[in-house]
Amino acid sequence: MAELPVLELPAALSHCSGRFTISTLLGTEEGGWGPYAAAEGAGCDSAHPTHLSGSTLCTRTFGYNTVDVVPAYEHYANSKGVGDARKGRPSLADLHSILKVRWGSAMLPASPASPGHAADAGLEEVAGELGRAPTPEPVRFGWVKGVMIRCMLNIWGVILYLRLPWITAQAGIALTWLIILMSVTVTTITGLSISAISTNGKVKSGGTYFLISRSLGPELGGSIGLIFAFANAVAVAMHTVGFAETVRDLLQEHNSLIVDPTNDIRIIGVITVTVLLGISLAGMEWEAKAQILFFLVILVSFINYLVGTVIPATAEKQAKGFFSYRADIFAQNFVPSWRGPEGSFFGLFSIFFPSATGILAGANISGDLKDPAMAIPKGTLMAIFWTTMSYLVLSATIGACVVRDASGSLNDSVAVGSPGCEGLACGFGWNFTACAQQQSCRYGLSNYYQSMSMVSGFGPLITAGIFGATLSSALACLVSAPKVFQCLCRDQLYPLIGFFGKGYGRNSEPIRGYMLTYVIAVGFILIAELNAIAPIISNFFLCSYALINFSCFHASITNSPGWRPSFRYYSKWAALFGATVSVVIMFLLTWWAALIAFGIVIFLLGYVLYKKPDVNWGSSMQASSYNMALNYSVGLSEVDEHIKNYRPQCLVLTGPPNFRPALVDFVGTFTKNLSLMLCGNVLIGPRKQKMPESRLMADGHTKWLMKRKIKAFYTDVVAEDLRSGVQMLIQAAGLGKMRPNILALGYKRNWRTVSPQSLEDYVGILHDAFDFKYGVCLLRMKEGLNVSHVIQAHADPATLAGEQQASTVFQSKQGKKTIDIYWLFDDGGLTLLIPYLLGRKKRWGKCKIRVFVGGQINRMDEERKAIVSLLSKFRLGFHEVHILPDINQKPRPEHIKRFDDLIAPFRLNDGFKDEATVNEMRQGCPWKISDEEVDKNRAKSLRQVRLNEILLDYSRDAALIAITLPIGRKGRCPSSLYMAWLETLSQDLRPPVILTRGNQENVLTFYCQ
């Protein structure tokens, strides 16, 4: 713990039963900490607690006198990025930096602004708040009412009543159970995945969309959220039309149609969905009460059916195939009897599977649950268990009571054992042989969809159950769609939908979302024929299941420390299996609908990938990216280096990257999608002063690079001077085999006017690069590189990425110009490689590359053939080669004079004295040039002058000039003389000039191994 120094304090400053609070020690700079500045007079004595004791030093530090605080919930609530400030927790600087003691302010008498009065004011304010009427709490549901009942209602549907008996007749009890258990396996695995994801952190509103988007990221989460909300909206219409068709059939039986069969469905459907909307708008509490009513109706109908199975069958029921529980009926119905075009295992599986879905109904209202992390796992899994039991019991009981074929005619009763009677019913006194052979039976499990109603004790209760199942599912979807869509709108992943994100009332009800869902539902109800859209909806739900399972698998496989679900009963491999099976079932149900669903998901995914929304949810995709990068980086360390795989990996001394956009664009052009680029910045000054600036600006510079579409990293160091900072970067930059091997920097145009030490440091940086076996690439442009004079020197990091991007020559198309390479000395081939990589880019692709080399006038042809042969072996595609025979000619006198004038201010003018005398004269000014050094380097100096004349003659109109960088020997070539060489070599040239020197090791090869 960071303990305070032991100091003798005046008696007036002692508080807290002999202890003192931190606020008495800190001045105005560090004393106004708010959350951890204790109120004056707050006591440490537990015998005198107050309602404000939670804000005192004593309670926050268990009575121990320290700035540190004990762990608390509010320190971690709403935490997002690494390094964000936490509420109430002292910063590292508060604990680590020197504590300033200001006795004067501590001993002043209390004023209205003093801590004592502030505390009193706080007491009064809290007391006032306690006297006010409390804000009404939003309605929250537990796991039974909020999840289990809701999921059971959504899982149960008309298939339970109308199709399960028929499926039992077709597949037999054994295969029907297999179909049920296969379907439930998928939903159970998905339920386990939901449980794991929902217990890995605090779940907010948004349901399925929230779970997937926060786990897999906005790309997949956004696309599935949009189609899931739409599918729920259309599902409202589907369930409502199912209800309307049942009512229409009842009206037809009594010849009481309103208009005609189709329009009756529309009228009844619109009225029904309007009533359901009214229930939803009344609030979640009313909606929950309606769901409980539907739940009770379904339970009563189910009990009514079970009672009916044990009631002795009447003659009318026997004529329709019901004979109560019989072992031989069970045995016959235990095996399959396939009939019709849908008579296959997977055909029946595709019909039944939608009845097992609906497990997301509870998760979809996650924002309205008291404890989503507990309610979603418990409620969802219990709903799956009880609905599965109901399906298994129903198929077994009805398969043991009802034969497959029955005529329904009372005249078909015969004496037991009558001749000519075939089939199981003959043993019970009924002859259904004729209709069974002609396949004209109207009743029996295989022919009569209303078998449950026929078996039940009171038929209308089954109809009421159908009503309850359809209306409850419609109501659940009507609530789910706006809740999911509201969360999606608030995240602003897609344009033009933010209007629907507004919430109203204490539950933040999405009224606008309800109205949109209502309009969509009415639109599809008016179609009155949903057979075409129904498979797409099933596929959308299955798509959600697949992504939920994949989310669980992906989060587990990335080994992220943040994946810590409190629900432990899941398996990443089971989740992967569930995701795979969900996709397979999508194509088994309707292959064309599966393709449509995938097409929509991919389109929405592509949109979000293109827009790159500014959200950070700590998704497993981010963790996976880190894992992949880490694994590949470590794996790269095991790969031996080879010349064929050489890549120019550049450490670019940009300073703030937006200050030198041309240098950034130049290196970014030839390293993009090819090699490492690292923008280095040296912050010169005291570490304590510069470190906050470093942390503040780093993110802004990275975003600036991303906006400019430069694939590069940014890093900075704090150092006492530029050279020591660059030495740090050269030695420490990179990771494993991904380490820079080239130092790229701009030419120092103001070298003649800057301080001599700055000049020494600049040339020293070049020497350091060579010492560390780096190549050097130096860029000079006529207009200069530094544009900081037109940019605010210390731009706000938030506005850095949004500032106007400066245009440079490296961003524009060069047309049919030339790239001239002056390969004067063999540096390993780097002088050739960088222009070659530039020429491969689209903007430079039309430029013709010319290579110039030095030679002798009497051997020009031989030397040219040798260079052409060498270049052809390198496979660079350079065919135009020029030999420079006059490279050693004496330059023009006026140019020689200009060079002499250039170095004149830096000459020592020692009169060729001995070395010891020269060193004594040069003490403190090592950049000075002695007369002997001028004389010894005369030939090299004149060569630079001559080369400049050649450059002006041959390359005045080139798009780019690349020259081999001359090297000055350490201790023998003063920095001012070396800079004079570079100045003379590259002066008066309009095109950009890159002076390149490799580390004298091969970067090109013409061998295959």
Side-chain angles (χ1 to χ4, degrees):
M1 281 191 156
E3 297 184 28
L4 294 175
V6 178
L7 300 170
E8 292 185 7
L9 298 177
L13 292 179
S14 61
H15 299 286
C16 297
S17 300
R19 299 182 179 91
F20 54 88
T21 59
I22 299 303
S23 60
T24 61
L25 279 178
L26 302 181
T28 54
E29 293 180 10
E30 299 186 19
W33 287 348
Y36 41 89
E40 185 172 347
C44 296
D45 191 351
S46 59
H48 302 284
T50 70
H51 67 281
L52 289 179
S53 60
S55 64
T56 65
L57 169 77
C58 310
T59 303
R60 291 172 58 81
T61 61
F62 47 83
Y64 186 67
N65 198 27
T66 173
V67 181
D68 261 342
V69 295
V70 295
Y73 170 84
E74 59 267 19
H75 299 166
Y76 297 90
N78 296 321
S79 59
K80 293 179 181 177
V82 175
D84 287 356
R86 305 289 185 261
K87 180 182 177 182
R89 181 192 300 155
S91 70
L92 192 58
D94 296 332
L95 300 175
H96 182 251
S97 300
I98 298 172
L99 189 64
K100 296 179 182 178
V101 181
R102 297 182 61 180
W103 298 109
S105 60
M107 284 189 255
L108 287 175
S111 65
S114 68
H117 285 269
D120 293 341
L123 284 166
E124 291 173 7
E125 185 179 342
V126 172
E129 288 179 358
L130 292 173
R132 297 189 199 126
T135 305
E137 285 290 322
V139 178
R140 295 285 186 257
F141 304 114
W143 70 272
V144 175
K145 194 174 179 181
V147 181
M148 188 185 78
I149 291 178
R150 191 175 298 274
C151 286
M152 290 178 72
L153 288 172
N154 217 21
I155 292 170
W156 281 329
V158 290
I159 289 178
L160 171 69
Y161 294 96
L162 302 182
R163 289 294 182 272
L164 189 56
W166 174 76
I167 292 173
T168 304
Q170 290 266 12
I173 296 171
L175 291 183
T176 300
W177 275 39
L178 182 62
I179 288 172
I180 294 170
L181 293 176
M182 283 178 61
S183 303
V184 170
T185 298
V186 178
T187 56
T188 303
I189 291 173
T190 307
L192 294 175
S193 298
I194 291 172
S195 302
I197 296 172
S198 63
T199 57
N200 188 52
K202 190 174 181 180
V203 178
K204 298 181 181 179
S205 61
T208 306
Y209 161 71
F210 184 88
L211 296 177
I212 296 177
S213 62
R214 269 52 175 183
S215 182
L216 283 180
E219 298 84 8
L220 283 171
S223 57
I224 206 64
L226 200 59
I227 65 172
F228 187 75
F230 177 76
N232 271 287
V234 179
V236 175
M238 282 183 59
H239 295 301
T240 306
V241 167
F243 168 78
E245 285 181 349
T246 308
V247 175
R248 189 269 317 268
D249 292 342
L250 289 174
L251 292 175
Q252 271 186 325
E253 287 182 13
H254 296 87
N255 296 318
S256 303
L257 287 175
I258 304 171
V259 182
D260 58 65
T262 302
N263 284 317
D264 280 10
I265 292 176
R266 292 171 178 153
I267 294 169
I268 296 167
V270 171
I271 293 172
T272 303
V273 79
T274 304
V275 172
L276 293 177
L277 176 68
I279 295 173
S280 301
L281 292 177
M284 288 297 296
E285 201 168 2
W286 283 95
E287 186 267 348
K289 290 177 181 177
Q291 293 285 32
I292 291 175
L293 175 64
F294 293 140
F295 182 71
L296 293 175
V297 168
I298 293 175
L299 279 185
V300 169
S301 71
F302 200 72
I303 293 169
N304 169 55
Y305 157 75
L306 292 176
V307 170
T309 60
V310 297
I311 296 175
T314 62
E316 290 80 6
K317 287 188 176 182
Q318 288 185 353
K320 295 179 180 180
F322 173 61
F323 297 99
S324 293
Y325 290 106
R326 302 293 176 103
D328 43 1
I329 296 179
F330 181 86
Q332 186 185 59
N333 288 338
F334 191 77
V335 295
S337 175
W338 309 112
R339 301 183 186 184
E342 294 168 332
S344 66
F345 181 81
F346 284 108
L348 295 177
F349 178 81
S350 65
I351 291 171
F352 174 79
F353 184 80
S355 68
T357 61
I359 62 172
L360 301 178
N364 286 338
I365 63 161
S366 55
D368 296 300
L369 301 175
K370 291 177 183 175
D371 184 6
M374 185 276 291
I376 292 175
K378 195 171 181 180
T380 303
L381 294 175
M382 289 298 290
I384 293 172
F385 174 77
W386 288 117
T387 52
T388 302
M389 294 303 298
S390 67
Y391 285 140
L392 294 175
V393 168
L394 176 62
S395 63
T397 52
I398 204 161
C401 296
V402 185
V403 296
R404 285 190 168 103
D405 294 297
S407 63
S409 172
L410 294 174
N411 298 326
D412 286 339
S413 60
V414 295
V416 175
S418 299
C421 182
E422 298 178 4
L424 194 63
C426 298
F428 308 132
W430 293 86
N431 183 7
F432 302 136
T433 307
C435 74
Q437 290 177 345
Q438 298 171 9
Q439 295 185 351
S440 59
C441 295
R442 294 177 54 201
Y443 294 94
L445 283 182
S446 296
N447 310 294
Y448 189 46
Y449 288 153
Q450 302 281 355
S451 294
M452 272 190 73
S453 180
M454 180 264 293
V455 170
S456 66
F458 183 61
L461 282 178
I462 299 297
T463 303
I466 295 174
F467 288 173
T470 53
L471 292 178
S472 65
S473 297
L475 188 57
C477 292
L478 184 58
V479 171
S480 297
K483 296 279 185 183
V484 173
F485 193 59
Q486 182 185 37
C487 184
L488 180 66
C489 294
R490 287 177 172 175
D491 286 338
Q492 298 180 344
L493 300 182
Y494 299 103
L496 308 177
I497 62 174
F499 172 79
F500 298 100
K502 184 175 175 60
Y504 296 87
R506 58 182 179 176
N507 270 48
S508 189
E509 294 290 346
I511 304 295
R512 296 172 179 177
Y514 280 128
M515 300 311 298
L516 177 64
T517 305
Y518 174 76
V519 170
I520 294 172
V522 168
F524 281 94
I525 287 170
L526 293 178
I527 297 174
E529 179 56 59
L530 296 176
N531 288 342
I533 201 70
I536 297 179
I537 295 172
S538 296
N539 275 279
F540 281 169
F541 286 129
L542 276 167
C543 206
S544 304
Y545 292 175
L547 283 177
I548 286 173
N549 284 309
F550 183 73
S551 299
C552 182
F553 166 75
H554 197 263
S556 302
I557 206 74
T558 53
N559 293 322
S560 172
W563 175 249
R564 302 185 302 274
S566 55
F567 182 85
R568 299 291 183 182
Y569 306 103
Y570 72 95
S571 166
K572 59 185 175 185
W573 301 114
L576 179 62
F577 174 76
T580 306
V581 171
S582 297
V583 174
V584 170
I585 294 173
M586 286 176 68
F587 285 92
L588 285 178
L589 292 178
T590 319
W591 64 268
W592 56 266
L595 291 177
I596 290 175
F598 272 107
I600 294 174
V601 169
I602 291 170
F603 172 77
L604 295 173
L605 170 69
Y607 176 82
V608 178
L609 284 172
Y610 173 74
K611 294 297 289 184
K612 290 185 175 61
D614 186 19
V615 294
N616 181 14
W617 296 327
S619 68
S620 62
M621 286 297 180
Q622 294 171 311
S624 176
S625 299
Y626 177 85
N627 273 8
M628 289 175 63
L630 181 62
N631 290 334
Y632 281 125
S633 298
V634 173
L636 197 60
S637 300
E638 302 173 4
V639 178
D640 293 331
E641 293 181 354
H642 194 283
I643 301 172
K644 286 199 300 182
N645 294 325
Y646 174 85
R647 294 168 186 264
Q649 304 189 110
C650 298
L651 171 60
V652 192
L653 300 184
T654 58
N658 57 322
F659 282 11
R660 293 172 179 82
L663 182 60
V664 171
D665 290 340
F666 162 62
V667 180
T669 301
F670 69 81
T671 59
K672 187 175 184 180
N673 299 326
L674 177 80
S675 59
L676 175 70
M677 177 181 173
L678 196 62
C679 295
N681 182 18
V682 179
L683 301 172
I684 301 172
R687 185 178 63 180
K688 186 176 180 181
Q689 176 185 343
K690 291 296 181 179
M691 282 304 293
E693 179 185 341
S694 170
R695 288 193 295 266
L696 191 67
M697 301 299 289
D699 194 46
H701 291 313
T702 301
K703 288 181 179 178
W704 183 89
L705 290 168
M706 292 170 62
K707 184 176 181 181
R708 204 170 179 87
K709 297 182 179 178
I710 300 294
K711 295 190 175 181
F713 298 99
Y714 169 83
T715 187
D716 53 34
V717 294
V718 178
E720 296 298 328
D721 57 73
L722 177 64
R723 185 174 181 182
S724 60
V726 174
Q727 287 173 345
M728 293 180 198
L729 288 171
I730 289 175
Q731 294 178 81
L735 182 69
K737 290 293 178 70
M738 290 196 303
R739 299 180 64 85
N741 50 31
I742 295 174
L743 181 70
L745 68 166
Y747 176 73
K748 195 171 186 67
R749 297 175 71 203
N750 61 346
W751 64 273
R752 284 172 287 181
T753 57
V754 296
S755 66
Q757 187 57 48
S758 178
L759 173 61
E760 277 288 293
D761 284 349
Y762 182 79
V763 177
I765 288 170
L766 301 181
H767 288 309
D768 293 338
F770 291 131
D771 286 342
F772 287 108
K773 302 287 286 184
Y774 270 56
V776 171
C777 185
L778 195 151
L779 174 65
R780 180 174 186 179
M781 297 183 67
K782 188 175 182 180
E783 62 274 17
L785 295 173
N786 195 335
V787 296
S788 59
H789 58 281
V790 295
I791 298 176
Q792 186 177 351
H794 298 284
D796 178 13
T799 62
L800 198 59
E803 71 181 24
Q804 185 67 31
Q805 296 276 351
S807 179
T808 68
V809 66
F810 297 100
Q811 290 183 317
S812 56
K813 290 186 177 181
Q814 298 301 313
K816 295 184 178 180
K817 297 180 182 178
T818 63
I819 297 176
D820 291 349
I821 304 172
Y822 288 82
W823 195 24
L824 305 177
F825 304 100
D826 191 351
D827 61 344
L830 188 63
T831 307
L832 293 174
L833 182 62
I834 290 178
Y836 165 73
L837 294 175
L838 274 174
R840 292 202 309 181
K841 302 301 178 180
K842 187 175 181 181
R843 290 168 182 158
W844 298 79
K846 293 184 179 180
C847 291
K848 182 171 65 173
I849 298 180
R850 303 188 299 177
V851 179
F852 296 84
V853 295
Q856 299 178 18
I857 193 167
N858 55 346
R859 299 182 64 244
M860 285 180 58
D861 289 339
E862 293 86 344
E863 290 179 351
R864 184 181 180 281
K865 288 178 182 177
I867 295 297
V868 168
S869 175
L870 179 61
L871 293 177
S872 66
K873 287 183 172 64
F874 287 149
R875 306 173 306 282
L876 296 173
F878 301 164
H879 302 297
E880 188 171 340
V881 176
H882 297 268
I883 304 298
L884 302 174
D886 53 352
I887 197 168
N888 289 319
Q889 286 184 4
K890 191 174 182 178
R892 289 195 281 269
E894 61 271 23
H895 293 159
I896 297 174
K897 183 179 184 304
R898 184 171 62 178
F899 176 78
D900 291 337
D901 294 341
L902 186 63
I903 65 173
F906 302 95
R907 292 190 64 167
L908 197 58
N909 296 318
D910 57 289
F912 293 95
K913 289 185 172 63
D914 60 90
E915 188 174 349
T917 306
V918 169
N919 289 338
E920 186 177 346
M921 293 177 64
R922 196 154 51 184
Q923 190 71 30
C925 49
W927 56 88
K928 290 285 188 175
I929 313 168
S930 68
D931 292 345
E932 185 178 359
E933 287 167 339
V934 172
D935 186 59
K936 282 185 177 180
N937 291 291
R938 190 66 178 173
K940 198 167 185 178
S941 300
L942 293 179
R943 188 189 304 136
Q944 312 310 321
V945 178
R946 176 59 187 153
L947 280 172
N948 180 253
E949 294 175 350
I950 293 172
L951 292 173
L952 288 169
D953 289 341
Y954 286 94
S955 303
R956 190 183 297 271
D957 298 321
L960 181 74
I961 301 172
I963 318 172
T964 305
L965 176 72
I967 294 182
R969 191 174 297 277
K970 283 196 299 182
R972 291 289 180 264
C973 179
S975 56
S976 53
L977 178 60
Y978 184 71
M979 289 303 298
W981 289 350
L982 301 186
E983 177 72 27
T984 300
L985 177 62
S986 57
Q987 66 185 351
D988 298 335
L989 294 172
R990 184 197 59 79
V993 179
I994 54 173
L995 298 155
T996 309
R997 170 68 72 159
N999 62 1
Q1000 301 304 112
E1001 293 181 1
N1002 288 350
V1003 300
L1004 298 173
T1005 181
F1006 42 73
Y1007 292 111
C1008 293
Q1009 62 180 14

